[in-house]
């Protein structure tokens, strides 16, 4: 999770100098992505698979960087499956998400993707398609059990009635259907019950609950499974960046948990754990770099208007936080009047959109900020450009700069 500020700042300065227009760019530090992903991989015990959820950022240079490090990619739409197959014909793919179309299920079957089934109706449609394709489909049932261990998180996808997964009362019918259907091969269970988990111990408790729950179902229904997909959901601390998820602590605890499970079940009967992480993998490698266009005093407040905004970098609005950033002072002023500035004042950073919601950071105390300076927002490699409403107001898209080794 080291941020190589110097490399990012140098890239932003270079891009600014090379353009006639004020700067607006995403900068992705690919060597840093590879280093961090390898660190995540090394922390996973041998009985674990590491998938990357491409919804967090599906840019090809990032995927190419990750492909040699991960076991495969998680897709959540036919579009993502097609994108993956276009660029990575051989990499294992798993397919999640509610509301899958027949065409998407057929694509998944055709490409040998494991399907995380979300309902009995989806299971029926998958069975028809697999039979028609003459190729059995690999299935994990995404289940949404009520678990006491569900720690509070800003985004909870399960543990209570939601649109995600199979509600616990419908699990027996799905298992019965699978038992009768040779075109469907049940490989295990899938859980993705929360996002933004920042506490390693709470996440371990949740995983222990998944293992216990899967063990109980296997005993109750006479099943033998190969995988438990424990989803993604490890968070990035945007509010207190110095307090990130403690990966070494988590991986030590996970090794202990799996050793305990192997003692209880026997090593051969213990299913593999599959992680499909998005945010925690790619967030740290990305920066949103933008240039200050204007600085305005309005009553007690000071606003810096920057190039771009939430239509490029929606993360702070989506998560409801004030995003951390660094000021990169830029020398030189080519106008005949005084350079607008804010000195030792709290500054709110807003974008170019015609909405008061277009705010990236609020009331941040700054030593000095001037028009023409650059701001660099870190942790912008996940759920940033890819979740933003790019074409609102038809501003040009930012540059995408991929720093190579
Ligand atoms: C089913 C599923 N798996 C994995 C992920 C990735 O989660 P994260 O980026 O929080 O790790 C998501 C995100 O919403 C998801 O819905």
């Amino acid at each position: 999770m080291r941020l190589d500020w110097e490399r990012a700042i140098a890239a932003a300065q270079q891009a600014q100098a090379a353009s006639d227009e004020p700067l607006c760019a995403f900068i992705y530090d690919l060597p840093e992505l590879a280093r961090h992903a390898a660190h995540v991989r090394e922390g996973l015990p041998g009985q674990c698979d590491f998938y990357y959820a491409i919804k967090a950022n599906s840019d090809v240079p990032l995927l190419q960087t990750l492909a040699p490090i991960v076991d495969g990619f998680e897709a959540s739409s036919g579009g993502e499956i097609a994108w993956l197959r276009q660029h990575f014909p051989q990499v294992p793919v798993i397919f999640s998400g509610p509301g899958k179309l027949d065409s998407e299920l057929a694509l998944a079957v055709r490409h040998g993707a494991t399907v995380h089934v979300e309902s009995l109706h989806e299971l029926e449609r998958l069975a028809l398609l697999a039979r028609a394709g003459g190729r059995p489909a690999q299935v994990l049932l995404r289940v949404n059990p009520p678990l006491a261990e569900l720690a509070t998180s800003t985004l909870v996808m399960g543990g209570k009635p939601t649109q995600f997964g199979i509600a616990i009362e419908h699990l027996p019918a799905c298992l019965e259907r699978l038992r009768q259907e040779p075109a469907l091969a049940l490989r295990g269970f899938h859980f993705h019950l929360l996002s933004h988990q920042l506490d390693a111990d709470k996440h371990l408790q949740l995983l222990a609950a998944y293992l216990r729950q899967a063990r109980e179902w296997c005993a109750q229904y006479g099943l033998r499974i190969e995988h438990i997909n424990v989803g993604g959901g490890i968070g990035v601390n945007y509010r207190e960046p110095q307090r990130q998820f403690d990966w070494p602590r988590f991986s030590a605890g996970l090794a202990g948990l799996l050793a305990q499970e192997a003692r209880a079940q026997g090593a051969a009967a213990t299913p593999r754990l599959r992680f499909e992480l998005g945010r925690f993998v790619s967030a740290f490698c990305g920066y949103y770099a933008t240039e200050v266009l204007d600085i305005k005093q309005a009553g007690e407040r000071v606003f810096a208007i920057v190039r771009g905004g939430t239509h490029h970098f929606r993360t702070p609005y989506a998560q409801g936080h004030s995003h951390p950033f660094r000021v990169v002072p830029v020398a030189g002023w080519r106008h005949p009047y005084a350079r607008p500035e804010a000195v030792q004042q709290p500054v709110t950073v807003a974008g170019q959109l015609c909405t008061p919601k277009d705010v990236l950071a609020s009331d941040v105390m700054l030593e000095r900020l001037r028009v023409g300076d650059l701001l660099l927002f870190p942790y912008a490699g996940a759920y940033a450009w890819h979740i933003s409403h790019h074409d609102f107001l038809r501003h040009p898209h930012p540059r995408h700069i991929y720093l190579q080794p």
Side-chain angles (χ1 to χ4, degrees):
M1 276 161 247
R2 199 187 56 207
L3 300 186
D4 191 340
W5 280 102
E6 274 180 32
R7 261 167 75 81
I9 289 171
Q13 287 170 326
Q14 215 177 349
Q16 186 189 37
S19 171
D20 294 336
E21 289 279 34
L23 180 73
C24 185
F26 277 96
I27 299 169
Y28 299 108
D29 188 341
L30 298 181
E32 190 48 36
L33 174 65
R35 202 201 56 76
H36 174 62
H39 169 68
V40 171
R41 160 106 264 170
E42 280 156 22
L44 290 175
Q47 309 95 297
C48 297
D49 297 329
F50 176 23
Y51 278 64
Y52 170 60
I54 76 162
K55 61 174 79 66
N57 187 324
S58 54
D59 285 6
V60 170
L62 273 77
L63 299 181
Q64 280 168 336
T65 304
L66 291 171
I69 300 168
V70 299
D71 293 297
F73 293 125
E74 186 258 359
S76 283
S77 71
E80 286 192 340
I81 297 175
W83 182 249
L84 285 171
R85 277 296 168 255
Q86 181 187 340
H87 298 285
F88 305 90
Q90 303 301 334
V91 175
V93 171
I94 53 182
F95 180 33
S96 308
K100 298 180 190 74
L101 306 178
D102 281 355
S103 54
E104 294 176 314
L105 290 170
L107 194 68
V109 173
R110 198 159 65 245
H111 288 293
T114 300
V115 182
H116 300 163
V117 171
E118 296 247 350
S119 72
L120 183 57
H121 175 51
E122 195 170 288
L123 202 59
E124 294 288 6
R125 291 187 295 125
L126 185 61
L128 288 176
L129 290 161
R131 263 186 266 155
R135 189 172 175 172
Q138 312 297 311
V139 172
L140 263 65
L141 290 182
R142 179 176 183 178
V143 194
N144 178 10
L147 294 177
E149 287 81 355
L150 259 183
T152 45
S153 147
T154 30
L155 199 57
V156 177
M157 276 99 168
K160 59 181 183 184
T162 70
Q163 70 267 47
F164 301 109
I166 297 163
I168 191 87
E169 59 273 25
H170 300 299
L171 180 62
C174 292
L175 290 172
E176 187 49 37
R177 184 69 190 83
L178 278 160
R179 217 185 292 280
Q180 301 156 1
E181 181 52 70
L184 300 178
L186 176 67
R187 298 290 178 220
F189 295 107
H190 174 265
F191 301 91
H192 176 79
L193 299 191
L194 56 73
S195 289
H196 304 294
Q197 175 67 273
L198 293 173
D199 186 316
D201 292 338
K202 284 185 182 162
H203 207 54
L204 284 167
Q205 284 165 21
L206 191 62
L207 265 51
Y210 293 166
L211 284 165
R212 187 195 63 229
Q213 181 67 88
R215 204 183 323 122
E216 283 171 11
W217 286 333
C218 287
Q220 190 178 351
Y221 298 105
L223 308 170
R224 203 176 168 89
I225 58 168
E226 291 164 20
H227 283 108
I228 301 175
N229 185 315
V230 296
I234 295 181
V236 169
N237 199 338
Y238 303 102
R239 290 182 171 82
E240 295 176 274
Q242 67 289 356
R243 293 184 56 201
Q244 296 296 347
F245 186 89
D246 189 341
W247 185 254
R249 183 181 176 86
F250 175 73
S251 60
L254 183 61
L257 178 64
L258 290 173
Q260 203 181 319
E261 192 70 15
R263 279 194 298 276
Q265 290 209 68
T270 306
R272 293 184 68 76
L273 286 202
R274 188 173 275 172
F275 288 77
E276 48 180 25
L277 302 172
R279 190 182 304 271
F280 189 66
V281 174
S282 59
F284 300 103
C285 78
Y287 300 80
Y288 182 57
T290 174
E291 185 169 327
V292 179
L293 300 177
D294 205 349
I295 294 180
K296 306 196 284 193
Q297 183 98 34
E300 295 296 295
R301 300 187 71 194
V302 179
F303 292 87
I305 314 296
V306 297
R307 181 83 196 274
T310 51
H311 54 309
H312 298 163
F313 182 46
R314 196 169 179 272
T315 318
Y317 181 70
Q319 301 308 326
H321 65 249
S322 176
H323 207 93
F325 65 88
R326 271 202 191 180
V327 176
V328 181
V330 174
W333 178 248
R334 55 194 161 79
H335 298 293
Y337 50 87
R339 188 172 177 179
E341 65 175 5
V343 178
Q344 291 181 345
Q345 282 172 298
V347 173
T348 292
V349 180
Q352 294 176 285
L353 300 184
C354 309
T355 160
K357 295 177 178 172
D358 188 21
V359 170
L360 303 178
S362 299
D363 299 312
V364 182
M365 192 63 192
L366 296 180
E367 208 39 51
R368 189 183 199 195
L369 184 70
R370 296 176 300 175
V371 166
D373 286 345
L374 294 176
L375 302 186
L376 253 70
F377 293 83
Y379 317 120
Y383 303 105
W385 171 248
H386 296 80
I387 60 159
S388 304
H389 42 301
H390 308 151
D391 291 327
F392 184 41
L393 295 198
R394 297 213 169 272
H395 282 297
H397 291 181
R399 283 189 62 192
H400 294 264
I401 299 167
Y402 303 95
L403 303 183
Q404 305 292 336

